[in-house]
């Protein structure tokens, strides 16, 4: 029987993680559980940095970006000794089940907690990249695309005034979801994503068709095989002698107050994660597809690559 559950956030922070923490504390309390926050992701699990959460600790955080539980990318957890230390801490603190909020790196670790040490664990999708199979959206994605779109709109203004060519790089590691959505939303002339080969000649033709002295905004996913926005800009310069401006939006996309969509998703998945642990589920990610809660084996979330829908790529190119 579950009496004491722990929760941590891990990997890149994502807006909505605080709404998620709040929901887990609230729902856990209503179900008669004690909810413990692990501070600093897997690093905090190894060092035993645990803290009991209550209404006061989770008050006034629903609208805040980042994560009050802090986060880390922890190498130590990915060797077996690190995991043994982490499990000793979980057992010493009487933890009956764990909720791991993060991306695929977080889920790899969570999967090992279950398979190697039989610690019941469920994952929840917290990453701006939206790259996890088994959920339509991840916590943080909606905020990130809105933040990126606002920044791109501003760059468009100056690009338009000067008639300049801009390459704007957005985050997403190996996934083009952010690039594709903001490319469409901001009327980009071209969108380059890691999932498809970027044809530099075709891109040049697009730029020419637009008019060399006209505004041209090209959105580039950071994982694009030509080396992101800087790589593409250099290639265009080398091959065609055409100069351009490069803007890398970077970590601005990870911060800020979460959108309503992200707050609601984070709250719903938090409640569902608590109930999943109580129901005896483990080694699964709690997601949402077509408005229904899904339970997806953790391994499937990274083994089955989630594709950027082809209709989006078609839309992006037909709208130019
Ligand atoms: O996974 C989220 C993400 O923001 C990716 O889009 C990006 O590639 C990566 O994290 C950056 O990580 P870090 O902040 O550790 O450099």
């Amino acid at each position: 029987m579950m009496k004491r559950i722990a929760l941590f956030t891990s990997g890149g922070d994502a807006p909505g993680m605080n709404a998620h923490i709040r929901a887990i504390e609230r729902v856990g309390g209503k179900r008669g559980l004690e909810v413990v926050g692990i501070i600093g992701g897997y690093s905090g699990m190894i060092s035993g940095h645990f803290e009991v959460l209550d209404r006061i600790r989770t008050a006034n955080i629903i609208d805040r970006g980042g994560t009050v539980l802090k986060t880390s990318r922890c190498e130590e957890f990915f060797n077996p000794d690190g995991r043994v230390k982490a499990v000793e801490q979980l057992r010493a603190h009487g933890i009956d089940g764990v909720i791991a909020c993060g991306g695929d790196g977080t889920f790899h670790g969570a999967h090992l907690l279950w398979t190697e040490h039989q610690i019941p664990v469920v994952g929840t999708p917290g990453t701006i990249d939206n790259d996890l199979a088994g959920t339509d959206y991840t916590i943080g994605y909606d905020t990130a695309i809105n933040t990126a779109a606002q920044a791109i709109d501003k760059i468009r203004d100056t690009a338009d005034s000067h008639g300049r060519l801009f390459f704007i790089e957005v985050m997403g590691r190996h996934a083009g979801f952010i690039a594709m959505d903001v490319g469409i939303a901001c009327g980009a002339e071209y969108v380059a994503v890691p999932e498809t080969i970027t044809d530099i000649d075709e891109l040049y033709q697009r730029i020419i068709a637009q008019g060399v002295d006209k505004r041209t905004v090209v959105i580039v996913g950071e994982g694009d095989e030509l080396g992101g926005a800087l790589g593409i800009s250099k290639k265009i310069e080398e091959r065609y002698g055409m100069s351009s401006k490069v803007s890398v939006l970077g970590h601005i996309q990870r911060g800020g107050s979460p959108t309503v969509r992200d707050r609601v998703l984070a709250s719903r998945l938090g409640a569902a994660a608590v109930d999943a642990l109580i129901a005896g589920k483990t080694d699964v990610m709690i997601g949402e597809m077509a408005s229904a809660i899904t339970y997806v084996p953790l391994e499937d979330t990274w083994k089955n690559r989630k594709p950027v829908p082809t209709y989006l790529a078609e839309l992006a190119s037909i709208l130019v």
Side-chain angles (χ1 to χ4, degrees), residues 73 127-129 171-173 222 251 254:
R73 297 196 190 276
T127 166
I128 64 163
D129 294 354
M171 274 188 167
R173 206 185 298 258
E222 65 175 329
H251 288 79
R254 286 232 298 254

Side-chain angles (χ1 to χ4, degrees), residues 222-236:
E222 65 175 329
D224 186 87
E225 74 289 345
L226 293 181
L230 204 57
I232 296 186
S233 137
K234 277 191 183 145
K235 292 224 162 39
I236 289 283

Side-chain angles (χ1 to χ4, degrees), residues 141-157 168-171 178-188 217 219 249 252-253 259:
Y141 177 68
D142 188 62
T143 308
I145 52 177
N146 280 287
T147 302
Q150 281 175 21
I152 293 162
D153 285 347
K154 292 187 169 82
I155 296 171
R156 261 176 72 102
D157 288 347
I168 306 175
E169 182 176 299
V170 295
M171 274 188 167
I178 297 179
M180 202 50 89
D181 269 344
V182 300
I184 292 168
C186 298
V217 169
I219 304 297
L249 297 189
I252 191 173
Q253 296 160 95
T259 59

Side-chain angles (χ1 to χ4, degrees), residues 52 69 175:
V52 174
L69 294 182

Side-chain angles (χ1 to χ4, degrees), residues 42 77-78 103-113 298 302:
Y42 285 116
F77 192 83
F78 285 90
D104 61 347
T106 306
F107 292 173
H108 272 88
H111 178 63
L112 293 171
L113 274 181
L298 286 177
W302 68 80

Side-chain angles (χ1 to χ4, degrees), residues 6-9 36-41 44-45 49-51 69 90 98:
L7 146 75
F8 67 99
T9 50
V36 174
I38 301 173
I39 312 297
M45 195 183 287
H49 197 170
F50 291 40
E51 182 188 318
L69 294 182
L90 289 171
V98 178

